[in-house]
C-alpha cells in the first residue's frame, strides 16, 4: 500500500513535470495567441473570404523560415478553399482587420512528415506571427455609411451629374494612400459615365451637398488584382471618407428662389435696365467668396447686356425694387471650368442672395405724382420763378437722404437757373403753392454715376416728397432787373447826384435800390441783389474805368426794342 502511494505521488509529479514542460503545441490542433485585437471589429474572416495579410514564419526556436515583409508584399489568398495549409486556414477564421495573432501549427496541419523541400523539415511545428490587413468576399457590394446629412437636401447626385468633392482614401487597415485635402483641391468629375472606378460611381449616387459618408469598396469594384502603382496594392479594399461640396448637371439652368417680394411691386427689371443691388456670394456648400455688403457699396450694372455672368444676367430679370431672391447658377453660366483663381474654384456652382436697391433705364424721365393739389391752383411755377418748398429725400429702397424739416428752413430755388439737378427742375415746374408731389428722378437727371460722397450713392434713383410753400414770380427770360413803370427820361441825371457828369458805383447802387424799394423797379428774385447791381453797373461801364458817362449809359430798350432794362 505504501509502495502504491509512493507510485501515485511519483506519477502525479511526473504529470506535473510534463504539464510544465509540455511541447509548444498539441500534436492534434493549432494554438492561437491574440497579441493585438482592435477595439472596433466591423467584420471577421469567414470561410470563403479573400484576405491580405503579413506574416513572419518561424520554427519553435525562433529561426525564421519565411516572411511576407521581406518580400515587400502581403500574402493574398482565399480562406477555407485549401489554398493554405490546413492550420493556417483554421487560424485566419474569426480575425479582424489589424488584429495580430501568434499561431502555432502542428505538423499534421502543416507540412507533415514530408516537410517542404529544404525550407520545412519533416514533422516541423510552425509558428506564424500574422497581421491581417484586408478582408473581402466575391459577393460583397459597395458599403455606404452616412455619418452626416444636412437637414435640407433639395437635390441628390444622379447619373451624368458633375460633382466636386473632398476625400481621404485609405486601405482597410487605415493606411492613407491619397487625399484631396492635402492637395487643397477638390476632385471634380462626372458620375456614372466611367470616369471613376466602378465602386465610387455607385457610392457617390444619392449624396446631398454637405453630406459626409464613408464608402468601402471591394477590390473588384476598385483597382482589382493589379492595384494602382505603389500606393494601392493589388486585391485591396478601399475606404473613401467623402464630403460632397458641389453638384450640377450640364443641362441645368439657373434656379431662382424668391424670398421677399414687396407689395406693391411698382416696377420689374427688364433687359437694358440699370440696377443697383447688394449680394452675398457663396459656393453651394456655403463657402463665402464675396459680398457687396462687406464693401459697403452696391453692385451697379446693366441687366441683360453681358456686363455680368450669363446666369446673373438671367437671374436679375423680372425683379422688383426691394425684392430679395436667391439665384443658383451652374458653372457653365458662371465662371466655367477655370473659375476665378483662389476665390471661385473651377466648375463651381454659385449662390447669390441678392437685394435689389433700385432700377432705372437710361430712357427714363422724371416720374411726377401729385398727391395733393389745392382747389385754387391758377398760378403755376415756371422758369425764372423763385420758389420755396419743403422736401423729404430718400433712395428707392427707403434709405433717408435728407429733409428740409430737419434743417428748419425751406429749400429756395430759382427755376431754370441750374441751382438744382435737372430732374428736380423738371419736377418743380407747373406746380402751385400748397401742392404736394412725389418725384422719382433717375440718376442721369440726378447726381449721375458719381453721386454725392457720403450722401447719395453713384447711379442712385432719388425720391423726393415735395410741398411748394411759396412762389415769387420771376423776371422774363434773360433779365435780372426790370422797370415796373415808365422809365424817367432824365435817368442818367437822376443817378448823377453830384452832377459831375459821371455816375459812380455808389450812386448807381443807391439809385437802383431806391427804385426797387419804391416799387418802380424789380430785381430777379432768388439772387444776391448786390451782385445783380454790380453786374448792371459793369454792363454800363463799357470802358471799364469804374464810372459811367452819359455816352456809355444806355437802356436795353435802346439796343433791343423788345426789352426795358438797363
Amino acid at each position: 500500500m505504501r509502495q502504491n502511494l509512493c507510485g501515485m505521488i511519483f506519477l502525479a509529479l511526473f504529470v506535473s513535470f510534463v504539464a510544465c514542460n509540455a511541447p509548444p503545441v498539441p500534436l492534434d490542433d493549432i494554438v492561437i495567441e491574440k497579441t493585438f485585437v482592435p477595439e472596433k471589429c466591423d467584420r471577421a474572416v469567414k470561410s470563403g473570404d479573400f484576405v491580405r495579410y503579413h506574416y513572419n514564419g518561424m520554427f519553435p526556436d525562433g529561426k525564421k523560415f519565411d516572411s511576407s515583409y521581406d518580400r515587400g508584399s502581403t500574402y493574398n489568398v482565399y480562406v477555407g478553399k485549401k489554398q493554405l495549409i490546413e492550420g493556417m486556414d483554421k487560424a485566419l477564421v474569426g480575425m479582424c482587420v489589424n488584429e495580430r495573432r501568434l499561431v502555432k501549427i502542428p505538423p499534421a496541419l502543416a507540412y507533415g512528415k514530408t516537410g517542404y523541400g529544404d525550407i520545412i523539415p519533416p514533422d516541423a511545428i510552425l509558428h506564424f506571427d500574422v497581421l491581417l490587413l484586408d478582408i473581402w468576399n466575391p459577393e460583397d457590394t459597395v458599403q455606404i455609411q452616412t455619418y452626416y446629412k444636412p437637414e435640407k437636401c433639395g437635390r441628390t447626385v444622379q447619373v451624368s451629374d458633375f460633382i466636386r468633392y473632398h476625400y481621404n482614401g485609405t486601405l482597410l487597415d487605415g493606411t492613407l494612400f491619397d487625399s484631396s485635402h492635402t492637395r487643397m483641391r477638390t476632385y471634380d468629375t462626372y458620375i456614372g459615365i466611367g470616369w471613376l472606378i466602378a465602386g465610387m460611381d455607385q457610392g457617390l449616387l444619392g449624396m446631398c451637398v454637405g453630406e459626409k459618408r464613408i464608402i468601402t469598396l471591394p477590390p473588384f469594384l476598385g483597382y482589382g488584382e493589379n492595384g494602382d502603382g505603389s500606393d494601392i496594392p493589388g486585391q485591396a479594399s478601399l475606404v473613401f471618407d467623402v464630403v460632397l461640396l458641389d453638384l450640377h448637371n450640364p443641362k441645368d439652368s439657373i434656379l431662382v428662389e424668391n424670398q421677399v417680394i414687396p407689395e406693391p411691386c411698382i416696377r420689374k427689371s427688364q433687359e437694358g435696365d440699370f440696377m443697383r443691388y447688394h449680394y452675398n456670394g457663396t459656393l453651394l456648400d456655403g463657402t463665402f467668396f464675396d459680398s457687396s455688403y462687406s464693401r459697403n457699396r452696391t453692385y451697379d450694372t446693366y441687366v441683360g447686356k453681358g456686363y455680368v455672368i450669363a446666369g446673373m444676367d438671367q437671374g436679375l430679370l423680372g425683379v422688383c425694387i426691394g425684392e430679395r431672391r436667391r439665384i443658383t447658377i451652374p458653372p457653365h453660366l458662371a465662371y466655367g471650368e477655370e473659375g476665378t483663381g483662389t476665390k471661385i474654384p473651377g466648375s463651381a456652382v454659385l449662390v447669390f442672395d441678392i437685394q435689389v436697391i433700385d432700377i432705372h433705364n437710361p430712357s427714363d424721365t422724371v416720374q411726377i405724382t401729385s398727391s395733393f393739389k389745392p382747389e385754387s391752383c391758377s398760378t403755376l411755377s415756371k422758369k425764372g420763378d423763385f420758389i420755396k418748398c419743403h422736401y423729404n429725400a430718400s433712395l428707392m429702397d427707403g434709405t433717408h437722404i435728407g429733409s428740409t424739416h430737419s434743417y428748419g428752413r425751406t429749400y429756395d430755388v430759382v427755376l431754370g437757373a441750374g441751382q438744382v439737378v435737372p430732374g428736380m427742375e423738371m419736377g418743380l415746374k407747373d406746380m402751385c403753392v400748397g401742392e404736394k408731389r412725389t418725384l422719382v428722378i433717375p440718376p442721369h437727371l440726378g447726381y449721375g454715376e458719381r453721386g454725392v460722397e457720403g450722401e447719395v450713392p453713384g447711379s442712385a434713383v432719388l425720391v423726393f416728397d415735395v410741398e411748394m410753400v411759396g412762389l415769387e414770380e420771376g423776371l422774363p427770360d434773360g433779365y435780372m432787373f426790370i422797370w415796373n413803370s415808365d422809365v424817367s427820361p432824365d435817368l442818367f441825371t437822376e443817378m448823377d447826384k453830384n452832377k459831375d457828369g459821371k455816375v459812380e458805383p455808389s450812386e448807381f447802387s443807391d439809385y437802383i435800390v431806391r427804385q426797387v424799394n419804391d416799387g418802380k423797379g424789380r430785381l430777379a428774385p432768388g439772387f444776391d441783389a448786390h451782385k445783380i447791381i454790380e453786374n448792371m453797373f459793369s454792363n454800363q461801364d463799357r470802358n471799364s474805368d469804374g464810372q459811367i458817362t452819359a455816352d456809355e449809359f444806355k437802356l436795353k430798350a435802346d439796343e433791343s426794342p423788345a426789352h426795358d432794362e438797363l
Side-chain angles (χ1 to χ4, degrees):
M1 184 71 180
R2 187 174 180 182
Q3 287 180 347
N4 290 339
L5 180 59
C6 290
M8 291 176 65
I9 292 172
F10 175 77
L11 181 61
L13 290 171
F14 178 76
V15 171
S16 174
F17 174 79
V18 171
C20 294
N21 296 275
V25 296
L27 297 179
D28 60 345
D29 205 354
I30 63 173
V31 172
I32 296 174
E33 179 185 346
K34 297 181 179 181
T35 55
F36 177 77
V37 178
E39 292 183 7
K40 187 177 180 182
C41 182
D42 294 325
R43 179 175 185 172
V45 177
K46 296 179 181 178
S47 181
D49 285 345
F50 191 94
V51 297
R52 292 190 312 110
Y53 63 93
H54 268 306
Y55 70 89
N56 282 317
M58 301 163 291
F59 296 117
D61 63 358
K63 182 180 178 181
K64 183 168 66 175
F65 62 82
D66 192 16
S67 173
S68 62
Y69 297 99
D70 293 344
R71 292 191 299 274
S73 175
T74 57
Y75 196 80
N76 308 335
V77 70
Y78 282 98
V79 176
K81 293 193 175 184
K82 298 186 178 180
Q83 296 179 359
L84 293 162
I85 57 175
E86 187 177 351
M88 188 60 82
D89 248 352
K90 295 178 65 176
L92 292 171
V93 172
M95 281 193 80
C96 304
V97 172
N98 287 324
E99 183 178 340
R100 191 169 182 178
R101 290 182 175 183
L102 180 60
V103 183
K104 302 173 182 180
I105 304 177
L109 298 177
Y111 294 98
K113 296 183 178 300
T114 59
Y116 185 77
D118 296 333
I119 301 174
I120 308 293
D123 293 321
I125 296 172
L126 306 180
H127 291 188
F128 288 92
D129 186 353
V130 180
L131 174 62
L132 187 68
L133 300 179
D134 204 341
I135 312 170
W136 58 271
N137 193 282
E139 297 181 359
D140 284 348
T141 57
V142 175
Q143 299 175 43
I144 296 172
Q145 177 192 349
T146 296
Y147 62 94
Y148 174 76
K149 193 167 187 175
E151 291 183 8
K152 185 178 180 182
C153 181
R155 178 174 182 174
T156 60
V157 177
Q158 298 178 2
V159 171
S160 80
D161 282 344
F162 190 92
I163 64 173
R164 297 191 310 112
Y165 63 94
H166 270 304
Y167 70 89
N168 286 319
T170 64
L171 304 180
L172 207 57
D173 67 338
T175 301
L176 180 72
F177 64 80
D178 193 17
S179 174
S180 63
H181 296 281
T182 59
R183 293 192 299 273
M184 299 182 68
R185 183 173 181 177
T186 56
Y187 194 82
D188 309 340
T189 185
Y190 285 96
I191 293 295
I193 63 172
W195 282 29
L196 291 166
I197 54 177
M200 282 300 276
D201 252 351
Q202 297 177 33
L204 292 167
L205 290 174
M207 284 193 80
C208 307
V209 171
E211 183 176 340
K212 299 178 181 180
R213 61 170 57 171
I214 294 173
I215 304 170
T216 305
L217 318 178
F220 53 86
L221 295 175
Y223 291 98
E225 295 182 6
N226 297 323
D228 186 34
S230 60
D231 294 324
I232 300 176
Q235 300 290 24
S237 301
L238 305 179
V239 181
F240 291 90
D241 191 341
V242 177
V243 55
L244 185 66
L245 301 182
D246 206 339
L247 162 65
H248 79 275
N249 194 283
K251 297 179 181 178
D252 286 347
S253 57
I254 65 168
L255 174 65
V256 174
E257 301 171 76
N258 291 321
Q259 297 169 323
V260 176
I261 301 178
E263 291 291 344
C265 178
I266 59 176
R267 178 173 184 167
K268 289 187 176 182
S269 60
Q270 298 178 358
E271 185 175 311
D273 283 347
F274 191 90
M275 180 182 295
R276 295 195 312 115
Y277 63 94
H278 272 303
Y279 70 89
N280 285 318
T282 64
L283 305 181
L284 203 57
D285 67 337
T287 301
F288 171 86
F289 65 80
D290 193 18
S291 174
S292 62
Y293 296 100
S294 63
R295 294 190 296 273
N296 197 30
R297 181 175 180 179
T298 56
Y299 192 84
D300 309 338
T301 186
Y302 285 95
V303 179
K305 295 288 189 180
Y307 284 72
V308 290
I309 55 176
M312 187 62 90
D313 244 357
Q314 296 176 29
L316 291 174
L317 291 175
V319 290
C320 306
I321 295 170
E323 182 174 340
R324 294 175 185 262
R325 65 167 49 172
R326 173 170 289 180
I327 306 170
T328 303
I329 304 175
H332 53 274
L333 296 174
Y335 294 100
E337 295 181 5
E338 299 299 322
T340 62
T342 57
K343 288 190 175 182
I344 300 177
S347 299
V349 176
L350 307 182
V351 180
F352 291 92
D353 288 310
I354 69 160
Q355 177 188 3
V356 179
I357 304 302
D358 70 26
I359 305 168
H360 78 274
N361 194 284
S363 63
D364 286 348
T365 58
V366 177
Q367 297 177 36
I368 302 173
T369 306
S370 182
S371 58
F372 175 76
K373 204 167 190 177
E375 291 183 6
S376 176
C377 189
S378 56
T379 302
L380 301 179
S381 58
K382 64 184 184 304
K383 184 178 179 180
D385 286 353
F386 179 62
I387 63 172
K388 297 177 181 287
C389 61
H390 275 299
Y391 70 81
N392 288 311
S394 64
L395 303 180
M396 285 295 283
D397 66 341
T399 301
H400 180 73
I401 297 175
S403 173
T404 55
H405 298 286
S406 61
Y407 306 145
R409 56 184 175 82
T410 58
Y411 188 68
D412 304 339
V413 61
V414 178
L415 289 181
Q419 297 175 353
V420 290
V421 294
M424 183 67 88
E425 288 265 22
M426 297 164 66
L428 292 174
K429 284 182 181 177
D430 299 321
M431 193 172 180
C432 60
V433 174
E435 185 176 348
K436 298 179 181 180
R437 289 180 174 180
T438 298
L439 312 178
V440 179
I441 302 175
H444 52 275
L445 296 174
Y447 293 102
E449 294 182 7
R450 293 189 176 184
V452 179
E453 187 174 355
E455 296 182 33
V456 180
S459 299
V461 177
L462 308 177
V463 180
F464 286 89
D465 289 315
V466 181
E467 179 184 6
M468 186 176 290
V469 295
L471 184 153
E472 184 177 346
E473 188 176 2
L475 302 188
D477 192 19
Y479 286 83
M480 299 300 288
F481 171 82
I482 61 172
W483 296 98
N484 291 330
S485 58
D486 293 337
V487 182
S488 170
D490 298 322
L491 186 59
F492 182 82
T493 303
E494 292 176 8
M495 284 186 181
D496 183 17
K497 290 186 68 175
N498 61 7
K499 307 304 179 184
D500 63 353
K502 301 173 184 176
V503 175
E504 304 291 335
S506 59
E507 293 175 317
F508 186 89
S509 177
D510 289 345
Y511 183 81
I512 296 297
V513 169
R514 188 165 60 254
Q515 303 310 304
V516 170
N517 291 338
D518 291 345
K520 296 179 180 179
R522 242 181 108 220
L523 292 169
F527 295 96
D528 186 331
H530 294 293
K531 293 268 186 197
I532 294 175
I533 295 171
E534 284 179 10
N535 287 336
M536 291 172 64
F537 182 87
S538 297
N539 290 336
Q540 295 296 316
D541 182 14
R542 300 174 190 276
N543 61 5
S544 301
D545 63 352
Q547 54 192 6
I548 303 170
T549 64
D551 293 336
E552 293 176 306
F553 189 80
K554 291 181 181 179
L555 291 175
K556 226 173 189 183
D558 298 331
E559 299 175 350
S560 174
H563 299 297
D564 194 14
E565 181 191 2
L566 285 172

